[in-house]
Amino acid sequence: MSYSQLYYLLAFLVYLLVMILVSWYVSRKQKSSNDFILAGRKVPLYLTLGTTVATMVGTGSSMGAVGFAYQNGWAGALYGLGGAIGILLLAWLFAPVREARFATMSEELASYVDDHPLVKKTLVIVIYAASIGWLGAHLIGGGMYLAWLTGLDDNSAKLLIGVGLAIYITLGGYTAVVWTDAIQAIILFVGFILMAYFAIDLVGGWHALDNNTVAANNGVLSYQKIGLLPAISMALAVLVGVLATPSFRQRIYAADSVKSIRKSFVISGVLYLGFSLIPATIGISAYLINDTLDNPAFAFPYLALTALPIVLGGLILLAGISATLSSASSDAIAGVSVLVNDVYGWIFKKDIPLHRQLLVSRLAMLATVFIALFMAVLSNDIISYITKMISLVLAGLCVLGILGRFWSRYTWQGALASLIGASVGAVAIGANDVWLTYLGNPILGALSVSLVAGVVVSLLTHKRRNIDGDDPLTIKIS
């Protein structure tokens, strides 16, 4: 290990120690699973904003968007565009569910179809799988960063990231997540902006970014290079990821008010829209310096090592790993929430006793992180991992959430059809090379089949009503 690699490893370890100390400090008054998972439902606007921004600028933006820009120029900004629209839609469409005091996304979505037990149990499995899937993606991304910059082998880097995450999030729960995310958000923005500044200077200014083979004469956001439908699919996949990712719902449930969550999401969306060009700038700059990288996902750490002084490179390392850890911690909490609130009651037919809630929550956290870590060890393709997981798992959740929230005719049979239809559509597109090339990724097919299946099956079946004939959802959130 060289001197610079040792420096980067020490920088990461010091950073991790700080996160652990913060987690320990903010967790001292926790007594229940509600404190651990939802921070007592009292998260104020500034902390909701911090955790949302930190998660938005996660593995997809750092690894995914930079790598995509390395290959496709300004199309790397499609990540930011899709994410910004997604978080703004989430504020508009789903912030009011805060009033229903849901604890998990499975509880919320099941309420749209009269809490049908089969739907709820299916959602528990799907949503836990989605949380594990996202968590695994972030561990892959963080491990790739650490391995590239420190010389560790891939599995050792993933293990170090996973163990560090498990320690600080198991100590502090969601309270630790929002505080550490707020710190990470500052590191992220400073690190990424400095990276873009030095990268532009190194390649010869803004003029060089447009006049090169990867970015020149390809239309707005380089859509002509990848095709219009693949460009739309890329942005749509990120949008669906925001609307249907359980960790974003967790922020709604934990916020102190609807007004607070809406305001923080709107500010986050505007910031993320402005941020979207920064990963694209970094990716194009990396391509201009070296167009022969074997893995485009390494464009970000490669530029950190070549464009910056060693001390500043350490900050960039922290920015990149902050992106992965901030996203990972939120997804881990969403997964644990399902285990503690849904799975425990499903298996044991009772609530967790108050004196054991904190212990059970922490054990569930350790189990969740290490399941995701096991999955992460088996994969290294971060972009493929994310797009496949969104199409297979999240597209159905997105359609179910929107139809259930706004269409009173939606039935539990239609909800199941939406979930199954999304997976069928994703598999069908993914298995056909011609369709996949034409569309870019399976998200359009997954959403279309899910929507049609949900509507048709709902029209062919009957919606249950409660004893007074009212829609249960209307009662809950009015």
Side-chain angles (χ1 to χ4, degrees):
M1 184 178 291
S2 68
Y3 171 76
S4 60
Q5 289 174 328
L6 181 60
Y7 167 78
Y8 291 132
L9 180 59
L10 289 174
F12 169 68
L13 292 175
V14 170
Y15 164 79
L16 195 59
L17 179 61
V18 171
M19 295 298 103
I20 291 171
L21 290 174
V22 170
S23 297
W24 168 79
Y25 182 79
V26 302
S27 68
R28 293 170 301 158
K29 296 182 180 180
Q30 290 183 347
K31 295 180 180 179
S32 67
S33 59
N34 184 61
D35 294 334
F36 187 86
I37 294 168
L38 294 169
R41 300 185 190 269
K42 297 177 181 178
V43 181
L45 186 152
Y46 67 93
L47 286 179
T48 303
L49 175 61
T51 184
T52 304
V53 168
T55 299
M56 292 290 289
V57 189
T59 307
S61 292
S62 53
M63 283 283 185
V66 172
F68 200 68
Y70 179 86
Q71 294 177 298
N72 301 296
W74 294 110
L78 291 168
Y79 278 73
L81 179 62
I85 295 173
I87 198 69
L88 293 173
L89 284 174
L90 193 63
W92 177 40
L93 300 176
F94 291 102
V97 303
R98 164 64 180 80
E99 296 300 325
R101 299 183 68 81
F102 296 118
T104 64
M105 189 176 178
S106 51
E107 184 184 354
E108 177 200 332
L109 297 188
S111 76
Y112 299 153
V113 289
D114 304 346
D115 290 311
H116 192 279
L118 180 58
V119 173
K120 186 165 186 179
K121 289 177 180 179
T122 303
L123 286 169
V124 166
I125 296 169
V126 171
I127 289 171
Y128 188 69
S131 299
I132 288 284
W134 275 120
L135 179 53
H138 302 313
L139 292 176
I140 293 171
M144 291 171 73
Y145 271 129
L146 200 59
W148 181 270
L149 291 167
T150 64
L152 293 173
D153 65 88
D154 287 343
N155 287 339
S156 296
K158 290 174 187 175
L159 186 61
L160 185 55
I161 291 280
V163 170
L165 174 72
I167 292 172
Y168 88 73
I169 195 173
T170 301
L171 275 175
Y174 196 64
T175 304
V177 168
V178 294
W179 276 102
T180 55
D181 277 3
I183 295 169
Q184 288 161 348
I186 297 170
I187 296 172
L188 281 169
F189 268 86
V190 173
F192 273 80
I193 290 171
L194 286 173
M195 180 76 151
Y197 173 81
F198 279 94
I200 292 170
D201 182 65
L202 189 65
V203 300
W206 278 103
H207 180 73
L209 293 178
D210 272 328
N211 291 282
N212 57 77
T213 56
V214 75
N217 302 317
N218 285 316
V220 178
L221 298 180
S222 300
Y223 79 90
Q224 292 175 353
K225 185 173 178 63
I226 61 173
L228 182 59
L229 273 179
I232 293 172
S233 293
M234 178 59 69
L236 187 60
V238 181
L239 186 156
V240 168
V242 173
L243 283 178
T245 294
S247 63
F248 283 100
R249 286 299 215 283
Q250 209 71 16
R251 289 174 174 83
I252 294 175
Y253 310 148
D256 59 4
S257 68
V258 173
K259 182 179 179 181
S260 172
I261 196 68
R262 271 201 166 135
K263 202 175 277 190
S264 64
F265 278 6
V266 169
I267 296 171
S268 298
V270 173
L271 287 174
Y272 195 52
L273 186 61
F275 176 85
S276 63
L277 291 177
I278 293 178
T281 298
I282 294 170
I284 296 171
S285 299
Y287 177 84
L288 293 177
I289 296 169
N290 182 355
D291 61 2
T292 61
L293 290 179
D294 293 333
N295 189 342
F298 287 137
F300 184 93
Y302 170 79
L303 197 59
L305 289 175
T306 57
L308 304 175
I310 184 172
V311 175
L312 195 53
L315 177 61
I316 301 305
L317 162 67
L318 297 184
I321 295 181
S322 287
T324 61
L325 289 182
S326 61
S327 301
S329 59
S330 298
D331 290 307
I333 282 288
V336 170
S337 182
V338 170
L339 286 183
V340 171
N341 289 291
D342 297 325
V343 175
Y344 188 96
W346 179 6
I347 294 174
F348 296 103
K349 310 300 181 184
K350 62 179 181 179
D351 293 332
I352 305 172
L354 182 61
H355 68 279
R356 297 183 60 194
Q357 285 183 1
L358 202 54
L359 174 62
V360 171
S361 298
R362 285 174 169 158
L363 291 175
M365 177 59 71
L366 289 173
T368 298
V369 173
F370 285 109
I371 291 171
L373 182 58
F374 174 76
M375 292 175 58
V377 168
L378 302 178
S379 178
N380 280 314
D381 187 349
I382 188 71
I383 296 175
S384 174
Y385 185 108
I386 290 175
T387 54
K388 287 178 182 176
M389 195 266 294
I390 288 175
S391 300
L392 279 168
V393 180
L394 298 187
L397 293 177
C398 181
V399 170
L400 196 164
I402 292 174
L403 286 180
R405 176 92 166 84
F406 297 102
W407 188 36
S408 61
R409 186 66 181 77
Y410 200 43
T411 66
W412 70 266
Q413 297 96 330
L416 291 177
S418 292
L419 293 174
I420 296 169
S423 296
V424 170
V427 170
I429 298 294
N432 189 305
D433 291 339
V434 175
W435 292 354
L436 191 60
T437 301
Y438 181 68
L439 295 173
N441 67 62
I443 190 64
L444 282 169
L447 287 172
S448 299
V449 177
S450 177
L451 179 62
V452 171
V455 169
V456 170
V457 172
S458 291
L459 292 175
L460 294 175
T461 53
H462 298 284
K463 184 174 178 67
R464 297 189 308 171
R465 295 280 174 170
N466 67 4
I467 194 170
D468 297 320
D470 296 318
D471 186 336
L473 175 64
T474 304
I475 295 171
K476 271 194 169 185
I477 69 170
S478 61

